Amino acid sequence: MDKLKINIVIAGRTYPLSVRNTQEEEGMRKAANAINNLISRYEQNYAVSDKQDVLAMCALQFASKLEISSLAKSSENTEAINKIKELTNLVNTHLK
């Protein structure tokens, strides 16, 4: 399958990319849009003159959201496993 060639603009710079399909293209464009919106908010709310600083702040925010989400899922999985163990123990107790 041929890859699609697209251009993504982040912080005023154009980045040529290759994507596998239109769904991946849409994801890339939405991600770039979210980054650009966050850049605008940081520039409006903070006295940041260097784009690199703003991009670093954006990267930190997006990465921390992923990590927090991962930690929450891990916690949910642990809770589910514990509940399954409790139920298994109850069933085993009643079968004896």
Side-chain angles (χ1 to χ4, degrees):
M1 179 181 200
D2 290 333
K3 291 191 173 191
L4 302 170
K5 306 284 186 192
I6 63 172
N7 290 312
I8 298 292
V9 179
I10 298 174
R13 285 188 152 177
T14 302
Y15 297 93
L17 300 172
S18 296
V19 295
R20 290 176 279 197
N21 52 47
T22 55
Q23 185 177 13
E24 192 172 298
E25 176 186 7
E26 182 181 359
M28 290 285 190
R29 293 195 187 282
K30 284 184 175 184
N33 190 41
I35 292 168
N36 287 322
N37 287 338
L38 190 55
I39 288 169
S40 293
R41 284 201 322 245
Y42 279 134
E43 287 177 335
Q44 289 171 1
N45 295 327
Y46 301 100
V48 182
S49 59
D50 187 356
K51 284 280 189 204
Q52 186 170 344
D53 291 338
V54 175
L55 289 169
M57 292 165 65
C58 290
L60 177 61
Q61 181 165 336
F62 286 117
S64 66
K65 282 184 179 182
L66 281 174
E67 290 302 321
I68 291 166
S69 175
S70 177
L71 290 170
K73 285 181 184 176
S74 177
S75 175
E76 289 172 9
N77 289 343
T78 301
E79 287 178 35
I81 290 168
N82 288 337
K83 295 280 186 196
I84 290 169
K85 285 179 182 177
E86 287 176 26
L87 289 170
T88 302
N89 288 336
L90 283 172
V91 168
N92 288 336
T93 302
H94 289 292
L95 290 177
K96 291 182 182 179

